[in-house]
Amino acid sequence: MTIPGKIGFIGLGIMGAPMAGHLHAAGYELHVYTRSRSKGDQLIGSGAVWHGNPASVAATCDVVITMVSTPQDVQQVWHGGLMDSARPDALLIDMTTSSPSLAQRLHDEGRAKGLRVLDAPVSGGQGGAKAATLAIMVGGDVVDYEAALPLLEKMGRKIVHCGRAGSGQRVKLTNQVLIASNVLGLAEGLAFARKGALDMKTVLSVIAESTGASTMLKAYGQKMVDGDWAAGFFVDHFIKDMTIALEEADHLGLDLTSLRNSLHRFRELQRRFGGTDGIQSIARLVG
Amino acid sequence: MTIPGKIGFIGLGIMGAPMAGHLHAAGYELHVYTRSRSKGDQLIGSGAVWHGNPASVAATCDVVITMVSTPQDVQQVWHGGLMDSARPDALLIDMTTSSPSLAQRLHDEGRAKGLRVLDAPVSGGQGGAKAATLAIMVGGDVVDYEAALPLLEKMGRKIVHCGRAGSGQRVKLTNQVLIASNVLGLAEGLAFARKGALDMKTVLSVIAESTGASTMLKAYGQKMVDGDWAAGFFVDHFIKDMTIALEEADHLGLDLTSLRNSLHRFRELQRRFGGTDGIQSIARLVG
């Protein structure tokens, strides 16, 4: 398959807007829909074509990418016009972090309709979306992955085919399961150190070279010490990811006690302080 | 203070024996005591002097190092002859991972007797002890730290003065609080991936460059996948460390839910499989 000129992009939030922008800047004809039209203003102003609903985007484009919020949103878009209106042999790519089971289902439904479906969630946050340095984890058929690659390379840097449909979501959620424990453990360790009246600069530098080191420590250790709660990764989004992972774990018959404890703590954080701070703000609950 | 020729070393287990060996090899006159005399055979054979109890070691040496198992062992040795028999102005260094509160108490008691006391727990395991590459976290007076440095440098590579008495223990335990969450989160993530029928090689390589990366992942990811439970760091020792940390956290008025959950899970692991496997064997409980 050659990459077509017409790309549809549904969902222009803090991630979707810059991602769609990179495709547009690369010269693709861009067709967009998003719930609040104002979020598309900038892209439309620079030449993207606005559509009133997902069905209209799908009827126009050979590739459609969705980047919405929750698995419920994915279902609403995909079952609310996207799949029914898609052109024969269209390539549909969901880049939302969503349910692996749903991704498998959509892939199979798509195949029955003669469509090609990939799940391709990302990692790297708003910064990675803007800089086009996202990691992209792709599930689905290899031939479709290869067809999508030139597009995905406009949005990310490390793009990996993880396996059959749903595997992109599974690898992404695996990562979220790890950070669920790592970020809470970090908050607990730093609270332990602070209450023990330690010099926090010394603590951070020693831990950074010890067995407790992690990417969470690198990203958030100093911010926790400084009380800097500005969001790179929103509490609300992380709770969504952990909820999906825990549901999927139940489905697989796994009892993930550390994930469950972290989700419980983050929900408490959300109740007390809202969900628009960064995930490092879990330190506010500890100590 | 100049470093004297006579060094006492109490506790010749899997860590203490190689550590004492490095001091002996560096030319110090070594005086040793350990509960099971046979553990000292090799050192005694190469010229170390055996003593029948800690008091006798203390009466002979200007520096005495202890490397035993638990805070209870530390108390037994320090209050069971070591402090009472120590020479005036002696430097006493506890390298056991032990309670920060106990370390502070021993320091203050020592000072009242005209003794100098440091806490200096290590990180790096048996491999680090053998290779003399341990990280050593030191609490106590700076002048005593500086006096001890030439000795500590024979046993380790990264030696940091962490602050007043007890601070070495506090920094060490801070690290253990982090790994308590990180290693269980790793086991949960890998179980989630495996049950999702993912290719584990792909998972490990993607996660290694993602936000879920950690030193625990580097050290134990592949071992968990392979079912390799051979010990670098024993379950028994880790449970001891987490127990001390949780007691200290209670003492500080901190509720560390993730640490508590990890300790609970590791105790379950110990009940089911014993405590002599490596901590990566927590993966056996998950999935």
Side-chain angles (χ1 to χ4, degrees):
Chain A
M1 175 212 177
T2 54
I3 279 292
K6 292 186 183 182
I7 310 286
F9 207 107
I10 294 170
L12 301 171
I14 62 164
M15 298 292 291
M19 289 163 70
H22 293 306
L23 295 172
H24 199 43
Y28 292 108
E29 187 181 310
L30 192 67
H31 294 257
V32 300
Y33 166 77
T34 195
R35 256 188 320 221
S36 320
R37 181 175 167 148
S38 63
K39 290 192 178 167
D41 281 351
Q42 205 183 336
L43 280 165
I44 297 163
S46 65
V49 182
W50 172 257
H51 292 254
N53 53 61
S56 168
V57 174
T60 310
C61 299
D62 299 295
V63 177
V64 183
I65 294 169
T66 55
M67 187 64 177
V68 294
S69 287
T70 66
Q72 291 72 35
D73 296 330
V74 173
Q75 258 183 309
Q76 212 172 347
V77 168
W78 283 59
H79 286 149
L82 178 60
M83 291 185 94
D84 282 341
S85 304
R87 298 164 65 145
D89 203 38
L91 178 57
L92 310 181
I93 310 173
D94 182 30
M95 301 187 77
T96 315
T97 294
S98 176
S99 146
S101 307
L102 175 60
Q104 279 180 280
R105 225 155 50 233
L106 294 176
H107 172 270
D108 296 348
E109 288 172 26
R111 165 166 288 180
K113 291 174 192 282
L115 305 171
R116 297 168 302 140
V117 173
L118 294 173
D119 51 294
V122 307
S123 158
Q126 199 178 357
K130 283 184 175 165
T133 57
L134 294 167
I136 307 179
M137 291 145 275
V138 187
D141 303 347
V142 176
V143 60
D144 301 334
Y145 160 77
E146 283 167 356
L149 207 44
L151 287 179
L152 299 178
E153 282 169 345
K154 300 289 182 291
M155 299 180 278
R157 204 159 44 183
K158 188 181 162 72
I159 299 146
V160 181
H161 184 245
C162 299
R164 68 194 174 100
S167 298
Q169 299 295 354
R170 287 187 197 284
V171 172
K172 171 72 195 275
L173 291 175
T174 297
N175 187 67
Q176 307 308 75
V177 171
L178 291 176
I179 71 174
S181 293
N182 292 2
V183 75
L184 179 54
L186 175 63
E188 292 191 354
L190 296 183
F192 182 87
R194 196 177 52 245
K195 282 266 188 174
L198 294 177
D199 175 63
M200 296 307 288
K201 203 174 149 187
T202 303
V203 170
L204 289 177
S205 89
V206 171
I207 302 293
E209 297 189 44
S210 299
T211 48
S214 66
T215 302
M216 285 295 105
L217 172 68
K218 250 182 263 174
Y220 297 131
Q222 189 64 55
K223 285 177 197 281
M224 285 184 182
V225 169
D226 295 343
D228 174 0
W229 313 135
F233 183 19
F234 289 118
V235 166
D236 279 345
H237 293 174
F238 190 38
I239 287 175
K240 184 204 77 168
D241 293 358
M242 286 190 284
T243 303
I244 297 169
L246 204 61
E247 283 168 7
E248 189 69 21
D250 283 348
H251 187 71
L252 296 169
L254 283 173
D255 181 20
L256 305 187
T257 60
S258 188
L259 174 62
R260 199 167 60 232
N261 179 60
S262 290
L263 177 55
H264 183 75
R265 297 292 275 161
F266 270 91
R267 283 191 174 137
E268 190 181 335
L269 179 72
Q270 190 186 43
R271 272 196 304 277
R272 287 181 54 187
F273 299 104
T276 59
D277 282 339
I279 65 169
Q280 73 275 18
S281 65
I282 190 65
R284 298 177 81 174
L285 275 200
V286 186
Chain B
M1 176 213 180
T2 53
I3 281 291
K6 292 187 183 182
I7 310 287
F9 207 106
I10 294 169
L12 301 173
I14 62 164
M15 298 293 291
M19 291 164 69
H22 294 306
L23 295 172
H24 198 43
Y28 293 107
E29 186 181 312
L30 193 66
H31 294 257
V32 300
Y33 167 77
T34 196
R35 252 185 324 218
S36 321
R37 180 174 168 151
S38 64
K39 291 191 177 167
D41 281 350
Q42 204 182 338
L43 281 165
I44 297 163
S46 65
V49 182
W50 172 258
H51 292 255
N53 53 61
S56 168
V57 174
T60 311
C61 299
D62 298 296
V63 176
V64 182
I65 295 170
T66 55
M67 187 65 178
V68 293
S69 287
T70 67
Q72 290 71 36
D73 296 329
V74 173
Q75 258 183 308
Q76 212 172 347
V77 168
W78 284 59
H79 286 150
L82 178 60
M83 291 184 95
D84 282 342
S85 304
R87 297 163 65 142
D89 204 37
L91 179 57
L92 310 182
I93 311 173
D94 182 31
M95 302 189 75
T96 316
T97 294
S98 174
S99 146
S101 308
L102 174 60
Q104 280 181 280
R105 226 158 45 235
L106 294 177
H107 172 270
D108 296 349
E109 287 172 26
R111 166 166 288 179
K113 291 175 192 281
L115 305 170
R116 297 168 302 139
V117 173
L118 295 172
D119 51 294
V122 307
S123 157
Q126 198 178 358
K130 284 184 175 165
T133 57
L134 295 167
I136 307 179
M137 291 146 275
V138 187
D141 303 348
V142 176
V143 60
D144 300 333
Y145 161 75
E146 284 167 355
L149 207 43
L151 285 180
L152 299 178
E153 282 170 346
K154 299 289 181 291
M155 298 179 277
R157 203 159 45 184
K158 188 182 162 73
I159 299 147
V160 182
H161 183 244
C162 299
R164 68 194 174 100
S167 297
Q169 299 295 354
R170 288 187 196 285
V171 172
K172 170 72 194 277
L173 291 174
T174 296
N175 187 69
Q176 306 310 73
V177 170
L178 291 176
I179 71 173
S181 293
N182 292 4
V183 75
L184 179 55
L186 175 63
E188 292 191 354
L190 296 183
F192 182 88
R194 195 177 53 243
K195 281 266 188 176
L198 294 177
D199 174 63
M200 297 307 290
K201 201 173 153 190
T202 303
V203 170
L204 289 178
S205 90
V206 171
I207 302 294
E209 297 190 42
S210 300
T211 48
S214 66
T215 302
M216 285 295 104
L217 172 68
K218 249 180 266 174
Y220 297 130
Q222 189 64 55
K223 285 176 197 283
M224 285 184 182
V225 169
D226 295 342
D228 173 0
W229 312 136
F233 183 20
F234 289 117
V235 166
D236 279 343
H237 292 174
F238 190 37
I239 287 176
K240 184 204 77 168
D241 292 359
M242 287 191 284
T243 303
I244 297 169
L246 204 62
E247 282 168 6
E248 189 69 20
D250 283 348
H251 186 72
L252 296 169
L254 284 173
D255 181 20
L256 305 186
T257 60
S258 189
L259 174 62
R260 200 169 56 234
N261 179 62
S262 289
L263 178 54
H264 182 75
R265 297 291 275 160
F266 271 92
R267 282 191 175 138
E268 191 181 334
L269 179 71
Q270 190 187 43
R271 271 196 305 276
R272 287 181 52 187
F273 299 104
T276 57
D277 282 339
I279 65 169
Q280 73 276 18
S281 65
I282 190 65
R284 299 177 81 173
L285 274 201
V286 186

